[in-house]
Amino acid sequence: MIDIRHLRKEYGTTVALENLHLNIPEGEVFGLIGPNGAGKTTLIRILATLMEPTYGEVTIAGIDAINDPLKVHPLIGYMSDFFSLYDELLVWEYLDHFARCYGVPARKRQRSLESVLELVSLDVRRDSPVTALSRGMRQRLCFAKTILHEPKLLLLDEPASGLDPAGRVEFREMLNQLRSMGTTVVISSHILTEMTGFCTSIGIMEQGRLRVSGRVDDILDQLQSGLRLEIEVLDETLRTTNLLESDPQVSQIVVNGVNVSCRFAGSRDELPELHRRIVSEGIALVSLAVRSDNLEEIYMQISRHEVA
Amino acid sequence: MKTLDIWDHPLVVKAGRVRYRKQGIYAQVGIAWFLILIGLVCFHFYRADLGGPLWLRNYFIVLVGLQLLGCSLAACATTYGSMDAEVKKQTLDFQRITGLSPRQILVGKAIGEPVICYILIIITVPVISICWGMGGFDFSVALLLYLNLLTSTFMMACLGLQHPLKVIEKKQTANQSGAVGAVVAVGFVFIAGAALSGLGSPYGGALFGLLTPIPAITSIVSSNDPTGSVAWSVGFPFFGIRIPYLLLTPIMQCLFATFLLKVMSRRLTHELDTAVSKPMAFGMLAAVLFLLIAATFDLLLAVPNLTPYLIGFFAGLALFVLICIGTAAPSRESYQSWIWRLRGKRRKVWDLLVGERTLSWLTNISGWFLGAALGIAAATAIVVLQPQFLKSLQWPALLIAAALSLLLCTCYGLLHQVAAVATGNSIAAVMVVFFVLLTISVVPLVVGHVAESPELSSLSPVATYVQLIQHPADYYPPYYIMAVHVFAIMFLAWGMAGMSRRYCRLIDGKLAEMGATDHPDDVIR
């Protein structure tokens, strides 16, 4: 769906994006993760054809988005973190305006409008003025506008910023519905919990560079060079650490109270042997568990430059 | 959405919903009608002091004049205010990525935002019937004046759409900045146009007269004709044929509005493109010169000697080229983006001549030759019609005027381009050229006059052209001014080439770092 090659964006002497390559297949939910100022918004604005890159190629559904931006517009829905609405309009008028802008035929307009209002749970506020909406409702209305014309690609820039936890859960449910309909979604956030369990692939950005990208499982496999172990002992962490350090397959040992975490390069079959060694040393072992990495841990590893 | 259905246009519908909720439009129309009727009653009551038998005509003209001023100001201010608010709130971004093209967005704004102006013009049309029925005012003149009002409002609305598309951090509100912009724009187009157009000479303001209905209105006011038919006699002198402004102005205003829409559409599509493309700049230059030649053609047939006018043409040509082609000169960001992305995608000469974002020096020179060709063609036609002119032509003075014009055009065009790339600011670049031109025109003139040194005075382009016009057979040879400008061209060209080389090296280095081996430079050799 999206193919980016050698993308670069400079603002004067500042390099916002540097030599970015990215391929996002159709139907994917791609999470752009990174701290503020990493270049996420710049990338999304370039994809939305609102900004021209300094260099590079951007193809959306086979169309050159830089040279033919007008051809790309019907395919995309864009939502910025700045939920600007026309405050003078009523909720239905706002959606009707954008339905007209997107060229939704008059006979279909009313139906589309009602269905998106229902999807974002604003059907009861249909005739309210936009100014009377809470921040969460404004965000949902903006989202309703974004999906009104059934775009093939959704570009969401920090869509849940400023929402309360309940609002985030609701928002995630809405996105899940879209994902099930096969829409490709690019969503940026610096709040990792927003992305966990939702994105099928991710890209981690830092200082304008895409440090890693791909399907979440692939990245986990790539980063998990071995198993992450959590060991709990009874007040004998020093002996445990010494024992683990003597094992060439163990690395990244971190002590946290009575818990010791480390990375084990061997296979699961070799774990009973490690277990036996700990016990045979007379260490009071409470538990030894294999933990799986989540997005937050991947991000922290990458931002600590623990992976190349 | 391929077609542009004005009545169902989303922006027109939205503007209507925003502005005229709760019957607001009926209140405004009611107030307008009330004021129109009060005005009619007042004019009737004081008719002895307000033109006597011409009171109804005067009432009509005052009404049209007030509507022209009010609607132009309101149209310009509302469209600018709307653009400003949408840029600040980022809602324009949402519009831009819908199915509407930039042109559709802009047309929607130009019609929707000042919709009350169009309505107020249309609802006063019955006044035509009153003035026609009771005062015998020419129906066709009245109708065409109303058409002029509509097109003037649309043109000013399009002028108000020219927004920098950047958030300007000022304390003033969008409406305030819109109002200031509107006053400036109306002041320039209308007041200057009124001062120049057709009041004294039919030639002085002919080009401005094309953009304002003021010549037609002033002709009615300055005559004792109660029917207003005199407006038919005021027209643009097109190769000796008067085309009434009443007919021509609406067409020219629509064309100018289309040009303004095109300029803004380009910026909404590709932010780094120059205000006008190079082919558009050539077209603009050719159109302006053609109209200028057409307007003065019959005047030139009757002059005693053609030489001073041709010298004046070459002086003006340099200025016209600088203004028209200057709009196609890229700023730093634009030029750098050409080096990054567009370099090598066309043949080099063709790219310099008509390519997007390329340096404008060759376009400047080509523009000058295009203008000179038009001037020479017109002069040839005049000489064919008046063969005695051929003998009186002062060839050395003409050649010097032409050569100096080319030198000035190349030199200040290059200066503008260097300043635009070096400062990265188009307005700063224009100011640099303006101050350098002003300085070189005034300082040598004053110093030379005080020191009684013709050598110093001859460094001023203005003094040189004035001398050539006044004494085409006995002028002070302009060697110094030519030498200074040749040296300046060489210096500026060296500077520009150095700057280009530096940017190319820098960008090539970055491209190599990025491993972008398929650089467009590889496409055409």
Side-chain angles (χ1 to χ4, degrees), chain A residues 109-273:
Chain A
R109 209 178 290 152
Q110 193 60 27
R111 206 161 6 104
S112 304
L113 208 138
E114 300 299 341
S115 69
V116 290
L117 275 174
E118 205 180 312
L119 180 75
V120 299
S121 313
L122 279 178
D123 38 350
V124 287
R125 306 301 294 261
R126 189 182 181 281
D127 297 317
S128 301
V130 169
T131 36
L133 301 182
S134 66
R135 185 181 164 85
M137 289 175 183
R138 289 171 75 87
Q139 182 258 359
R140 278 186 274 156
L141 179 60
C142 195
F143 184 68
K145 178 272 302 173
T146 309
I147 56 171
L148 194 59
H149 61 299
E150 296 167 12
K152 286 185 175 173
L153 171 65
L154 267 184
L155 301 167
L156 309 173
D157 187 12
E158 307 270 2
S161 62
L163 288 185
D164 57 26
R168 285 186 186 182
V169 171
E170 262 182 45
F171 186 70
R172 209 194 292 188
E173 279 168 14
M174 286 190 295
L175 284 180
N176 275 325
Q177 279 191 50
L178 284 172
R179 187 175 65 169
S180 62
M181 287 154 65
T183 311
T184 310
V185 183
V186 177
I187 178 168
S188 83
S189 181
H190 61 276
I191 304 166
L192 295 161
T193 45
E194 264 177 34
M195 309 286 209
T196 313
F198 169 68
C199 296
T200 50
S201 56
I202 56 161
I204 296 178
M205 292 189 70
E206 211 182 31
Q207 294 176 338
R209 288 172 183 271
L210 193 62
R211 294 194 50 83
V212 66
S213 75
R215 297 187 70 84
V216 177
D217 297 341
D218 294 343
I219 293 175
L220 288 175
D221 286 346
Q222 186 189 327
L223 294 179
Q224 282 178 328
S225 52
L227 305 165
R228 194 164 65 78
L229 304 181
E230 283 282 342
I231 303 166
E232 189 185 346
V233 292
L234 282 180
D235 201 20
E236 287 175 292
T237 48
L238 186 64
R239 279 178 64 207
T240 314
T241 315
N242 289 339
L243 175 77
L244 292 172
E245 277 175 352
S246 64
D247 190 330
Q249 288 190 301
V250 177
S251 61
Q252 297 175 30
I253 302 166
V254 178
V255 179
N256 184 11
V258 291
N259 292 312
V260 178
S261 66
C262 63
R263 194 161 286 280
F264 181 65
S267 64
R268 287 183 85 90
D269 297 343
E270 291 169 273
L271 270 184
E273 176 55 31

Side-chain angles (χ1 to χ4, degrees), chain A residues 52 84 86 93 96 100, chain B residues 8 89 95 271 341 357:
Chain A
E52 199 180 315
S84 292
Y86 295 115
E93 286 176 342
D96 179 68
R100 285 166 189 266
Chain B
D8 197 33
K89 285 170 70 182
Q95 301 275 7
E271 56 180 326
R341 289 188 36 227
R357 305 178 197 182

Side-chain angles (χ1 to χ4, degrees), chain B residues 220-508:
Chain B
I220 297 170
V221 173
S222 56
S223 79
N224 285 323
D225 178 15
T227 64
S229 305
V230 70
W232 283 111
S233 63
V234 186
F236 182 78
F238 189 79
F239 293 106
I241 302 162
R242 298 269 152 175
I243 304 175
Y245 283 125
L246 278 177
L247 293 174
L248 198 57
T249 306
I251 297 167
M252 295 308 290
Q253 285 181 326
C254 287
L255 286 175
F256 187 60
T258 309
F259 169 75
L260 291 172
L261 290 174
K262 179 75 185 164
V263 168
M264 204 57 205
S265 296
R266 281 171 57 80
R267 293 176 53 208
L268 282 177
T269 312
H270 288 114
E271 56 180 326
L272 293 179
D273 277 353
T274 50
V276 301
S277 66
K278 290 189 172 71
M280 269 172 79
F282 281 131
M284 198 162 74
L285 177 70
V288 170
L289 289 175
F290 178 74
L291 288 172
L292 193 72
I293 290 166
T296 51
F297 194 79
D298 60 333
L299 170 84
L300 294 174
L301 282 174
V303 294
N305 186 357
L306 199 57
T307 307
Y309 294 91
L310 283 175
I311 292 170
F313 171 79
F314 282 119
L317 176 62
L319 267 179
F320 280 126
V321 172
L322 282 177
I323 293 167
C324 293
I325 306 294
T327 53
S331 65
R332 178 168 50 205
E333 209 183 344
S334 193
Y335 176 55
Q336 285 182 341
S337 89
W338 174 80
I339 300 176
W340 275 104
R341 289 188 36 227
L342 305 172
R343 181 174 39 150
K345 288 201 170 172
R346 290 183 189 221
R347 301 266 166 217
K348 274 182 183 166
V349 175
W350 190 244
D351 204 12
L352 277 170
L353 207 58
V354 293
E356 264 322 329
R357 305 178 197 182
T358 48
L359 295 175
S360 62
W361 62 268
L362 189 61
T363 322
N364 250 303
I365 296 169
S366 315
W368 186 88
F369 279 104
L370 173 72
L374 276 171
I376 291 166
T380 310
I382 291 168
V383 168
V384 168
L385 292 168
Q386 303 281 7
Q388 74 275 14
F389 278 153
L390 196 58
K391 289 176 193 164
S392 63
L393 285 178
Q394 308 283 334
W395 289 104
L398 275 175
L399 286 174
I400 283 176
L404 185 59
S405 170
L406 179 59
L407 274 181
L408 291 174
C409 165
T410 311
C411 179
Y412 294 103
L414 250 176
L415 177 66
H416 176 248
Q417 183 60 92
V418 170
V421 174
T423 63
N425 185 332
S426 307
I427 296 168
V430 171
M431 295 312 285
V432 166
V433 175
F434 177 74
F435 280 113
V436 171
L437 253 175
L438 193 69
T439 309
I440 194 90
S441 298
V442 175
V443 174
L445 189 66
V446 173
V447 176
H449 183 71
V450 171
E452 293 181 352
S453 162
E455 291 92 342
L456 264 176
S457 293
S458 75
L459 282 174
S460 161
V462 173
T464 306
Y465 273 110
V466 168
Q467 213 208 18
L468 280 169
I469 288 169
Q470 286 177 345
H471 312 287
D474 180 28
Y475 51 86
Y476 190 86
Y479 301 136
Y480 292 114
I481 188 174
M482 288 184 144
V484 164
H485 281 91
V486 167
F487 177 74
I489 288 170
M490 285 162 63
F491 178 73
L492 288 167
W494 172 75
M496 189 72 243
M499 212 152 32
S500 295
R501 270 198 301 273
R502 201 166 56 247
Y503 285 143
C504 287
R505 265 202 308 272
L506 196 73
I507 289 166
D508 284 343

Side-chain angles (χ1 to χ4, degrees), chain A residues 6 8 10 19 45 48 51-52 54-55 66 73 78 84-86 88 93 96-97 100-101 145, chain B residues 1 8 10 14 17 21 86 89 93-97 99 270-271 340-341 357 510-511 514:
Chain A
H6 292 302
R8 185 184 182 93
E10 291 182 2
N19 202 20
R45 283 181 68 80
M51 191 180 270
E52 199 180 315
T54 304
Y55 184 77
I66 300 170
H73 290 168
Y78 164 70
S84 292
L85 306 171
Y86 295 115
E88 312 88 343
E93 286 176 342
D96 179 68
H97 169 69
R100 285 166 189 266
C101 286
K145 178 272 302 173
Chain B
M1 188 183 291
D8 197 33
K14 176 185 151 273
R17 282 174 178 162
R21 197 181 295 287
E86 293 231 36
K89 285 170 70 182
D93 288 348
F94 294 150
Q95 301 275 7
R96 284 170 62 189
I97 57 165
H270 288 114
E271 56 180 326
W340 275 104
R341 289 188 36 227
R357 305 178 197 182
K510 288 176 182 175
L511 282 167
M514 287 162 61

